[in-house]
């Protein structure tokens, strides 16, 4: 058996769309196909605007730049997230303030976050870990942010197809929300990201930021500073086809989550971190495992790929921040991503589950 932790899934539809596009003689850089993809995503998540950019790190940076967040500003960030959330804050010269996460949702701990708010705080990042909504009421956080005059930003990179309990799509409660379409994400175009917002002014600022600060497309008049965050219509062609498959992928992800959950339920040494699959689409299958590293080696011998979950950011050499973060430390020690690609078969999952059980029976 060879069961990787993750493999992408592109099909004939994507290659046909690319061939047709190339034969039609497009410019390759972003244009009509990108606009079509933006409309598709905006409609899907229920947001007024969607601005495509080249990846989900740039989308985070663009959100901060659009709000003029920079040196002297603090941004509150969870200590369990993909490193890009923090790096984006660093990129604009602001100071990330690390906060531990909630053990049930792996989303930021609200009480600790509120305590960290001070005069310099400009924004708080809500990262929806594995598509989960936080255990607190999101409207409460929206209100706190309004009262304190800080921005709520959503890093929803892992949350396409996931909703708050109210039915609103994750990423649409903050002033802006960011998504990623890198290869491991629920759909992909190799690289890609986007910002969604209902704010017309932020939408036009984001569009200028991604196109050298041009006052409008195709002219060289610049009334603000911008960069080049554009994608290509080639990626948009792939993205449009991937969006057509999103609902199916979401169902497959929910099914595979249920299968793992059933297979491992009642086990005392390993547990799947809960996702509410009525509302959210798990991106990866997340487990908390005893003897995590040994289990990982055992599975590797059996041809099963897994991936250690993100170490606590404060412990990364790039940051080295002192502090006590018991939950993110626990995830760093025991968190393991199990094989999670949407096209995994029932037999493959059964095999993974049986090998996990075999390992714990042997120790
Ligand atoms: C994947 C991811 C990113 C980065 O996205 P890229 O497109 O790879 O730059 C940022 N934040 C989170 C939470 C992610 O999962």
């Amino acid at each position: 058996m060879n069961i990787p932790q993750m493999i992408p899934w592109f099909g004939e539809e994507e290659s046909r769309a690319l061939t047709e596009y190339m034969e039609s003689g497009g410019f390759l850089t972003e244009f009509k196909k990108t606009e079509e993809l933006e409309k598709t995503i905006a409609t899907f998540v229920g947001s007024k605007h969607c601005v495509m950019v080249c990846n989900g790190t740039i989308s985070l940076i663009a959100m901060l730049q659009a709000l003029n967040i920079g040196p002297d500003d603090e941004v509150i960030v969870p200590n369990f997230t993909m490193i890009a959330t923090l790096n984006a804050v660093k990129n604009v010269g602001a100071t990330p303030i690390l906060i531990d996460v909630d053990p049930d949702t792996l989303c930021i701990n609200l009480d600790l976050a509120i305590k960290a708010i001070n005069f310099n705080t400009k924004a708080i990042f809500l990262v929806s870990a594995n598509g989960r909504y936080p255990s607190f009421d999101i409207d409460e956080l929206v209100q706190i942010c309004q009262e304190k005059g800080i921005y709520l930003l959503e890093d929803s990179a892992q949350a396409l197809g996931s909703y708050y309990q109210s039915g609103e799509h994750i990423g649409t409660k903050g002033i802006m929300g960011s998504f990623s379409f890198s290869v491991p994400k629920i759909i992909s175009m190799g690289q890609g990201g986007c910002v969604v917002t209902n704010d017309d002014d932020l939408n036009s600022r984001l569009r200028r930021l991604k196109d050298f600060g041009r006052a409008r497309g195709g002219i060289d008049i610049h009334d603000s500073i911008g960069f080049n965050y554009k994608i290509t219509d080639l990626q948009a062609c792939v993205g449009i086809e991937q969006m057509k498959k999103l609902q199916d992928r979401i169902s497959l992800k929910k099914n595979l989550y249920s299968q793992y959950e059933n297979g491992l339920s009642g086990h005392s040494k390993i547990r799947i971190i809960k996702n509410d699959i009525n509302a959210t689409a798990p991106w990866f299958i997340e487990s908390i495992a005893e003897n995590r590293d040994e289990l990982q080696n055992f599975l590797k011998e059996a041809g099963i790929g897994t991936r250690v979950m993100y170490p606590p950011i404060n412990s990364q050499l790039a940051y080295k921040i002192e502090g006590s973060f018991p939950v993110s430390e626990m995830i760093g020690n025991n968190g393991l991503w199990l094989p999670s690609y949407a096209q995994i078969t029932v037999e493959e999952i059964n095999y993974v589950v049986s090998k996990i059980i075999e390992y714990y029976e042997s120790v």
Side-chain angles (χ1 to χ4, degrees):
M1 281 271 194
N2 174 28
I3 305 176
Q5 195 271 325
M6 186 65 214
I7 33 175
W9 194 11
F10 303 111
E12 263 172 44
E13 298 79 7
E14 286 81 354
S15 66
R16 208 175 307 126
L18 284 169
T19 308
E20 271 171 28
Y21 179 80
M22 290 304 291
E23 287 173 352
S24 77
F27 274 44
L28 271 62
T29 188
E30 62 168 46
F31 191 40
K32 295 263 185 246
K33 290 289 175 189
T34 303
E35 279 168 28
E36 183 183 337
L37 178 60
E38 288 180 336
K39 289 208 177 89
T40 307
I41 295 171
T43 305
F44 181 82
V45 304
S47 181
K48 191 167 175 195
H49 306 288
C50 167
V51 181
M52 289 303 301
V53 294
C54 45
N55 60 59
T57 304
I58 289 295
S59 53
L60 300 172
I61 293 171
M63 295 200 297
L64 295 163
Q65 288 175 329
L67 296 170
N68 290 317
I69 291 174
D72 303 329
D73 296 336
E74 290 183 3
V75 178
I76 294 175
V77 190
N79 197 35
F80 171 80
T81 180
M82 203 249 163
I83 197 97
T85 322
L86 269 275
N87 292 355
V89 175
K90 281 292 205 185
N91 183 282
V92 299
T95 305
I97 303 297
L98 289 169
I99 299 295
D100 207 4
V101 294
D102 173 334
D104 296 328
T105 63
L106 312 194
C107 295
I108 201 159
N109 178 315
L110 183 61
D111 294 337
L112 296 175
I114 291 172
K115 284 198 192 114
I117 297 174
N118 67 47
F119 191 69
N120 295 321
T121 310
K122 283 287 163 0
I124 176 165
F125 259 115
L126 179 68
V127 180
S128 297
N130 207 26
R132 291 184 202 89
Y133 49 79
S135 54
F136 53 83
D137 180 358
I138 184 66
D139 288 317
E140 193 192 329
L141 178 58
V142 170
Q143 204 186 330
I144 290 168
C145 288
Q146 267 164 12
E147 281 164 15
K148 307 246 179 203
I150 62 180
Y151 299 113
L152 174 60
L153 297 173
E154 292 190 64
D155 181 351
S156 329
Q158 303 172 3
L160 191 64
S162 294
Y163 297 82
Y164 289 104
Q165 282 160 304
S166 61
E168 292 156 287
H169 200 287
I170 288 176
T172 61
K173 295 296 285 187
I175 184 151
M176 287 175 274
S178 163
F179 292 90
S180 161
F181 306 103
S182 69
V183 165
K185 300 289 164 21
I186 205 155
I187 61 161
S188 179
M189 49 205 82
Q191 297 289 343
C194 71
V195 180
V196 298
T197 184
N198 290 325
D199 187 304
D200 296 339
D201 182 45
L202 286 172
N203 172 56
S204 68
R205 272 199 254 176
L206 289 162
R207 291 190 185 282
R208 274 177 286 145
L209 266 170
K210 70 180 269 191
D211 191 24
F212 306 103
R214 285 195 170 108
R216 46 174 212 281
I219 59 163
D220 291 300
I221 306 296
H222 306 268
D223 37 26
S224 61
I225 292 175
F227 306 92
N228 181 356
Y229 298 158
K230 287 171 282 190
I231 62 160
T232 64
D233 261 12
L234 289 175
Q235 289 157 294
C237 285
V238 176
I240 290 164
E241 296 308 317
Q242 291 266 296
M243 280 301 286
K244 293 179 190 162
K245 301 173 179 184
L246 178 57
Q247 283 305 354
D248 290 341
R249 297 247 170 123
I250 290 169
S251 321
L252 289 170
K253 291 277 185 177
K254 291 181 179 187
N255 289 345
L256 78 97
Y257 169 89
S258 300
Q259 216 194 319
Y260 272 111
E261 249 243 326
N262 294 337
L264 293 169
S265 76
H267 209 287
S268 62
K269 308 241 163 106
I270 185 168
R271 67 180 170 85
I272 303 297
I273 306 174
K274 279 232 174 313
N275 265 80
D276 165 12
I277 54 165
N278 289 319
T280 72
W283 164 62
F284 278 176
I285 302 304
E286 304 190 316
S287 71
I288 298 291
E290 266 181 38
N291 305 338
R292 193 257 328 262
D293 296 349
E294 244 184 72
L295 171 67
Q296 183 176 40
N297 284 334
F298 181 89
L299 294 176
K300 193 174 168 205
E301 297 285 303
I304 298 167
T306 57
R307 183 163 155 187
V308 165
M309 288 172 68
Y310 305 131
I313 302 279
N314 71 296
S315 74
Q316 299 274 10
L317 276 183
Y319 284 94
K320 276 191 91 64
I321 295 171
E322 296 282 313
S324 164
F325 303 93
V327 179
S328 32
E329 280 159 22
M330 181 277 289
I331 302 162
N333 291 328
N334 298 104
L336 191 67
W337 280 311
L338 301 177
S340 305
Y341 46 98
Q343 66 275 44
I344 194 170
T345 65
V346 170
E347 292 71 32
E348 285 170 326
I349 299 177
N350 286 340
Y351 176 72
V352 176
V353 167
S354 73
K355 283 289 163 188
I356 291 173
I357 292 172
E358 187 184 319
Y359 166 74
Y360 284 117
E361 279 169 356
S362 75
V363 290

